[in-house]
Amino acid sequence: MSDNSELSNLVRIVAPKIDRPLVLVGLMGAGKSRIGKMLSDSIDIPFVDSDIELVSAARCSIPEIFDRFGEEFFRDAERRVMKRLINDGIQVISTGGGAFINPQTNALVKEKAISIWLRVEPELLAKRVVKNRDNRPLLKGRDALEVMKSLAEERYPVYEQADIIVDSYDVPHESTLISVMEKLDALLNRS
Ligand code: S3P
């Protein structure tokens, strides 16, 4: 079966069963926004990105928020944005890499949403983020691989609590999307 008809069949089965927000979690460069947008397009529900929502509420960029107000302020703003998005009905929410690590956000996602971890090796993430590192304060002036390895050590035990885990290595995005749909189908059949 071609990827296209495989995907259409899965969408037909899965889309009517989606009853909660779908929350993409994982490190910077994991593909949360890209896969999240594809997921929302295919099942025809809205897409939001917590970083974009935060920037538009704060009216300044993420690096500016870190510079002017500090990381703690950013994390609190991120928690508030996530609370609003999760309570905003059924949609796909792509999150900043630290969002699911916040205990309150983590508890809210577990209670009200389906979480999907896009798991990628730190080596591949480090290669991917090179292009967009200026917009990511955690990478500023630091070796991307070192940052990714240390974030992976700290955060993977939390991301592992996600409802769905999909390995998203160097494969076409369509294949990752199909894996997400298959796991969603299995999860929704159990619940
Ligand atoms: C962060 C990830 C970024 C952004 C901020 C902090 C993190 O989002 O929220 O720079 O703590 O991992 P992406 O994961 O979308 O790059």
Side-chain angles (χ1 to χ4, degrees), residues 101-147:
I101 308 302
N102 176 282
Q104 283 154 280
T105 301
N106 184 287
L108 201 59
V109 171
K110 284 181 185 151
E111 185 195 337
K112 296 195 166 174
I114 296 173
S115 47
I116 302 165
W117 175 25
L118 299 181
R119 178 167 57 189
V120 183
E121 288 298 325
E123 287 72 14
L124 181 55
L125 293 171
K127 280 190 212 152
R128 286 189 189 164
V129 294
V130 168
K131 281 167 262 163
N132 198 8
R133 56 181 303 152
D134 288 349
N135 204 29
R136 289 172 161 139
L138 298 188
L139 298 172
K140 196 174 167 188
R142 298 178 64 196
D143 178 70
L145 182 56
E146 287 309 310
V147 174

Side-chain angles (χ1 to χ4, degrees), residues 15-71:
K17 295 188 207 155
I18 305 286
D19 56 356
R20 283 161 278 171
L22 304 177
V23 177
L24 278 296
V25 305
L27 285 182
M28 297 175 265
K32 292 163 291 184
S33 301
R34 184 74 189 268
I35 300 293
K37 181 75 177 78
M38 289 169 76
L39 184 60
S40 88
D41 284 345
S42 50
I43 53 185
D44 202 18
I45 60 174
F47 171 78
V48 282
D49 181 314
S50 71
D51 282 337
I52 294 177
E53 294 293 316
L54 202 160
V55 164
S56 106
R59 297 206 196 95
C60 63
S61 70
I62 291 177
E64 272 165 9
I65 299 173
F66 269 70
D67 275 354
R68 289 167 56 186
F69 308 108
E71 179 166 355

